[in-house]
Amino acid sequence: MSLRITSIILLILFSGYTAFTMSIAEQSLLSFGYQLISSPDTAQVVIDLYIMAFLALIWMYQDCKVNNKSIGYFIPFALLTLVFVSIGPLLYLSLKGNLATKTPT
């Protein structure tokens, strides 16, 4: 299965699950985030996720530059990544046509 198809499937499943859990949540997203970082064990997981999100942001930004995409193209993916972590990169990969890009010089 291609990376693009896999990304689309994961994007649909994870976005649907995210929407579902947010619709039944008893607290806001900010309250939930604060609760997660208030304990060392869950804070470690959040920090780990945001390290990966930061690496994905760097990759997406560099890929946009290599493929002559504007900063305006990158910003929505960056915002989604900062809020929902996985949704930004999954959407980026889903919309990206050919993954064989030019190598940066």
Side-chain angles (χ1 to χ4, degrees):
M1 189 179 312
S2 77
L3 181 57
R4 185 173 187 194
I5 302 268
T6 303
S7 298
I8 292 169
I9 291 168
L10 288 172
L11 176 65
I12 291 168
L13 292 173
F14 185 66
S15 296
Y17 183 70
T18 300
F20 169 72
T21 56
M22 289 182 73
S23 72
I24 63 168
E26 296 178 3
Q27 59 189 349
S28 72
L29 189 58
L30 288 175
S31 297
F32 178 67
Y34 180 74
Q35 182 182 359
L36 284 176
I37 63 169
S38 64
S39 172
D41 53 344
T42 54
Q44 187 278 328
V45 174
V46 172
I47 292 167
D48 187 40
L49 284 173
Y50 274 94
I51 289 170
M52 290 305 298
F54 181 71
L55 295 172
L57 286 169
I58 292 170
W59 168 74
M60 288 187 295
Y61 178 75
Q62 290 176 343
D63 192 66
C64 284
K65 280 178 36 178
V66 167
N67 290 296
N68 298 316
K69 301 283 186 186
S70 70
I71 191 76
Y73 182 81
F74 167 74
I75 296 283
F77 300 108
L79 293 174
L80 282 170
T81 302
L82 291 172
V83 176
F84 297 107
V85 183
S86 299
I87 292 177
L90 285 171
L91 182 61
Y92 186 85
L93 288 170
S94 297
L95 296 176
K96 188 169 174 56
N98 184 3
L99 287 176
T101 60
K102 304 174 216 166
T103 55
T105 55

